[in-house]
Amino acid sequence: MNSDTRTETLVKTKIGEEAFDIERVYFVKTDRRSNPRKIDPFRYFEGSLPVLVSAPHSVRHIRHKKIKPSDEFTGSIACILKKLTGCHSLAVTKLYGGDPNFDDKCIYKESIKNITAANKPKIVIDIHGASREHDFDIDIGTMKGNSLLGKSRYVALLRDSLEKHGISTISENRFTISGQNTVTSYVSQHLGIPALQLEINKRFRAPHQNPEDYCRMVAALAEFIQKIGSRK
């Protein structure tokens, strides 16, 4: 193993360990509910780059009165992207009784409204997790282009960054539906800000099993965020 390979391995190991540390501290997987009136169920990291990364399912949530599993390591991805790029990031840290991505009356979306009003991001990137069984590495959701608000070039920029890092099995609009009040729909249709919903395959959210894939995904998204944030 040459020095470059050793260095690359160490970097991937460090990022994987950091992802575990972030999950353990901020995104505990528990069925214990918290009262949002007593404790803030969200974690916001303020940035300087005009991009907001959102992870609404980073912990367990409740939909139709049933507890749903979290999208593991989406919270850590949002936090690491903030560290790498200086973007803003918002994620859920507590099971508070609702579903941040589907509830019409939603304190998570209110938080996004306040953050975007104060910081004027060029785009909101909403990160979710898909199971290994799906036949894609990542699905790009744009509500068939409607959530981009005319910024169709954003998808081309994202695809370019993903493919540059060896992520080539890319699909579009498997999950975003215009009639639902998802974060992507709310941000684009109510706040007037372009938005993307990214469904990341579990393979790329398993830093302990696939550290190289995890790092490739993070690197690709970081590059895309920097492209958008630095554009005039």
Side-chain angles (χ1 to χ4, degrees), residues 89-101:
S89 74
L90 177 68
V92 183
T93 58
K94 304 290 183 183
L95 176 69
Y96 68 87
D99 185 330
N101 195 48

Side-chain angles (χ1 to χ4, degrees), residues 3-148:
S3 60
D4 288 343
T5 302
R6 282 197 298 271
T7 299
E8 184 178 356
T9 300
L10 287 172
V11 168
K12 290 172 183 175
T13 301
K14 183 178 180 181
I15 291 176
E17 291 174 350
E18 184 175 4
F20 272 107
D21 289 340
I22 291 170
E23 287 283 312
R24 184 173 64 250
V25 173
Y26 296 115
F27 307 111
V28 178
K29 308 307 185 286
T30 176
D31 290 349
R32 183 177 178 181
R33 290 179 60 169
S34 297
N35 186 341
R37 296 180 180 179
K38 295 182 178 180
I39 184 170
D40 188 350
F42 312 136
R43 184 76 183 187
Y44 169 57
F45 292 94
E46 184 176 5
S48 56
L49 200 73
V51 173
L52 172 62
V53 176
S54 159
H57 288 165
S58 46
V59 297
R60 292 169 185 165
H61 51 283
I62 295 178
R63 189 188 311 169
H64 303 311
K65 299 181 179 181
K66 294 182 179 180
I67 296 178
K68 298 292 185 178
S70 64
D71 292 346
E72 288 187 305
F73 288 96
T74 54
S76 76
I77 290 174
C79 291
I80 290 175
L81 288 173
K82 189 277 174 190
K83 180 178 180 180
L84 292 175
T85 69
C87 69
H88 303 265
S89 74
L90 177 68
V92 183
T93 58
K94 304 290 183 183
L95 176 69
Y96 68 87
D99 185 330
N101 195 48
F102 285 93
D103 293 344
D104 287 334
K105 294 182 179 180
C106 180
I107 58 175
Y108 185 77
K109 295 184 179 76
E110 281 296 312
S111 292
I112 289 180
K113 179 181 178 180
N114 293 334
I115 292 168
T116 57
N119 296 284
K120 311 298 182 186
K122 296 180 179 179
I123 190 171
V124 173
I125 302 171
D126 197 48
I127 296 179
H128 294 261
S131 68
R132 290 180 183 271
E133 287 68 33
H134 285 289
D135 60 352
F136 58 78
D137 297 337
I138 187 170
D139 180 81
I140 305 171
T142 65
M143 295 163 49
K144 298 192 181 300
N146 292 326
S147 71
L148 295 173

Side-chain angles (χ1 to χ4, degrees), residues 136-199:
F136 58 78
D137 297 337
I138 187 170
D139 180 81
I140 305 171
T142 65
M143 295 163 49
K144 298 192 181 300
N146 292 326
S147 71
L148 295 173
L149 304 179
K151 304 291 186 180
S152 58
R153 67 182 183 278
Y154 284 178
V155 171
L157 290 172
L158 176 54
R159 280 182 168 273
D160 180 68
S161 292
L162 291 167
E163 290 170 358
K164 178 180 175 181
H165 288 84
I167 301 169
S168 57
T169 309
I170 304 166
S171 63
E172 292 188 35
N173 295 305
R174 297 273 191 95
F175 298 89
T176 53
I177 301 173
S178 297
Q180 295 179 339
N181 190 37
T182 60
V183 168
T184 300
S185 177
Y186 174 78
V187 168
S188 60
Q189 305 306 308
H190 294 276
L191 303 183
I193 300 169
L196 291 171
Q197 178 173 311
L198 302 183
E199 298 280 344

